[in-house]
Amino acid sequence: MRIVLIGFGSVGRALATLLESRRDELYARTGMSTKLVCVMDSRGAAVSHSGLDARALLAAKEASGTVGAVEGGVLGHDELGLLRDVQADVVVESSPSDLARPRPAIERMKAAMGSGKHVVTVNKAPLAVAMPALVELARFNRVELRYSGTVGAGTPVLATARTLGAGDTILKIRGIMNGTTNFILWKMAAEGETYAAALAEATRLGYAETDPSADVDGIDTATKVVILANAILRMGATVKDVTISGIRDFPKARINEAAGRGETMKLIGEIDAEARTLSVSPQAVAMHGPMDVPRALNAVQFTLARAGEVTLVGRGAGGNETATAILRDLVDVWHASGGA
């Protein structure tokens, strides 16, 4: 399997390392032989039909800030032209999600699918604003579009939802889908921190970006709600269909009031399949209940017509975790496209 990798941040670097370290195991287990034939970042690109060396890519990125500095690489590139022309089987879109500017990633995905390449994405922005159209485009071009790492990172939320939905009717999905906000609210509840102090600690630990707006304003959770609604319940939604309320400057008084009732506050993304509504808002959950997960963990709860409630808990972010989700998708693409 010849792979194009777009984005060489923490996820891209983790994927390159994972593919190299597990190459022999993957071939023995699945018959799939992988090689990176093209890697792009915002400043340059590296291409090799015989396969790129992960260590050389990492060294170039560390020394010069771009994979274009690797031997034979280029600084500055026509990314759409390269995507169309490079001989590859699948494109992995791992550039940062930017809901304010999703068009470049959408165009890259369209160029890939239009030239007969499968797409695996962990970039949530294109799916948040154009998922129905991208799914249809993949179908039209007879290629696979996979995105399991967009919700739950390495925790198989989408796969679990599909399994549950195959044997039962999903009535509701609700969950803690953003580790940054969960860490902040947990810190406020468990250690009595103010919102500002908890956010500062989340930033120091790397949970929150320098600009945490997408997390604390509920936007990141909303994108995951949209992806779940479309992938599992076929709602044809976009982020504009989500009612959103975040936790910016969340008052300690609400944390204390909830504690007095034996509850704790969480930022919850919710899908009501019967009412066809999507929302993100701070909600009280039972203290020590299945949704009371600590630190930066995620928890997604499915309410089923016959089996009742099923809750999945796991890490929802991280370069290594997300890379494992991409690898799962690559194996699925391999099998779906005729691999052994």
Side-chain angles (χ1 to χ4, degrees):
M1 176 181 279
R2 299 164 298 178
I3 301 167
V4 176
L5 174 58
I6 302 171
F8 208 64
S10 61
V11 173
R13 294 194 296 269
L15 178 64
T17 302
L18 184 64
L19 289 172
E20 191 152 299
S21 66
R22 296 191 61 192
R23 181 174 287 117
D24 293 343
E25 175 196 346
L26 282 170
Y27 182 74
R29 184 164 58 85
T30 69
M32 182 177 76
S33 178
T34 62
K35 61 181 177 181
L36 287 173
V37 296
C38 177
V39 177
M40 306 183 204
D41 59 28
S42 60
R43 293 176 52 196
V47 181
S48 172
H49 297 298
S50 61
L52 294 159
D53 181 74
R55 287 165 295 186
L57 292 167
L58 291 166
K61 185 73 171 182
E62 178 69 23
S64 304
T66 177
V67 295
V70 76
E71 185 177 353
V74 293
L75 300 177
H77 57 292
D78 173 12
E79 61 181 15
L80 297 184
L82 189 52
L83 277 172
R84 294 187 187 99
D85 296 340
V86 69
Q87 297 298 306
D89 303 298
V90 59
V91 172
V92 176
E93 167 57 71
S94 72
S95 64
S97 296
D98 185 354
L99 199 58
R101 193 170 169 267
R103 183 56 52 187
I106 291 173
E107 292 302 319
R108 290 192 292 266
M109 293 170 69
K110 288 169 63 177
M113 290 189 282
S115 58
K117 299 176 181 69
H118 307 293
V119 172
V120 172
T121 183
V122 290
N123 186 335
K124 298 180 289 293
L127 301 182
V129 301
M131 187 169 175
L134 290 168
V135 169
E136 181 57 35
L137 185 63
R139 186 179 295 115
F140 177 80
N141 286 286
R142 298 183 179 181
V143 297
E144 297 292 320
L145 172 61
R146 303 288 173 137
Y147 42 83
S148 70
T150 58
V151 183
T155 303
V157 174
L158 289 167
T160 300
R162 289 191 179 99
T163 299
L164 293 173
D168 207 334
T169 301
I170 297 176
L171 304 177
K172 185 177 289 188
I173 303 173
R174 63 194 301 263
I176 301 157
M177 304 179 194
N178 180 272
T180 300
T181 53
N182 197 59
F183 179 84
I184 292 169
L185 293 174
W186 170 80
K187 194 81 172 173
M188 292 175 71
E191 301 184 11
E193 297 280 10
T194 64
Y195 170 86
L199 173 58
E201 179 69 1
T203 304
R204 186 185 71 80
L205 293 172
Y207 295 135
E209 301 290 340
T210 304
D211 179 1
S213 298
D215 294 324
V216 301
D217 292 335
I219 305 301
D220 178 71
T221 299
T223 65
K224 295 169 183 175
V225 165
V226 167
I227 293 166
L228 273 167
N230 291 339
I232 306 305
L233 302 172
R234 302 291 186 265
M235 285 191 175
T238 73
V239 75
K240 293 180 181 179
D241 299 311
V242 187
T243 302
I244 306 171
S245 176
I247 66 158
R248 186 182 290 272
D249 298 322
F250 200 76
K252 274 186 68 175
R254 289 190 62 184
I255 300 283
N256 296 337
E257 288 166 6
R261 301 189 302 268
E263 296 175 323
T264 189
M265 298 301 300
K266 301 290 184 182
L267 184 67
I268 302 292
E270 189 163 0
I271 305 165
D272 189 320
E274 295 179 300
R276 309 288 286 183
T277 57
L278 313 176
S279 64
V280 176
S281 64
Q283 297 182 25
V285 304
M287 201 175 289
H288 309 305
M291 297 288 281
D292 183 17
V293 294
R295 302 185 71 85
L297 287 178
N298 283 193
V300 180
Q301 188 173 78
F302 304 93
T303 302
L304 306 169
R306 296 161 187 82
E309 292 180 347
V310 175
T311 305
L312 180 66
V313 176
R315 296 179 182 178
N320 289 326
E321 292 82 357
T322 306
T324 65
I326 295 172
L327 186 52
R328 285 200 309 263
D329 282 347
L330 290 172
V331 172
D332 286 345
V333 168
W334 167 253
H335 290 313
S337 59

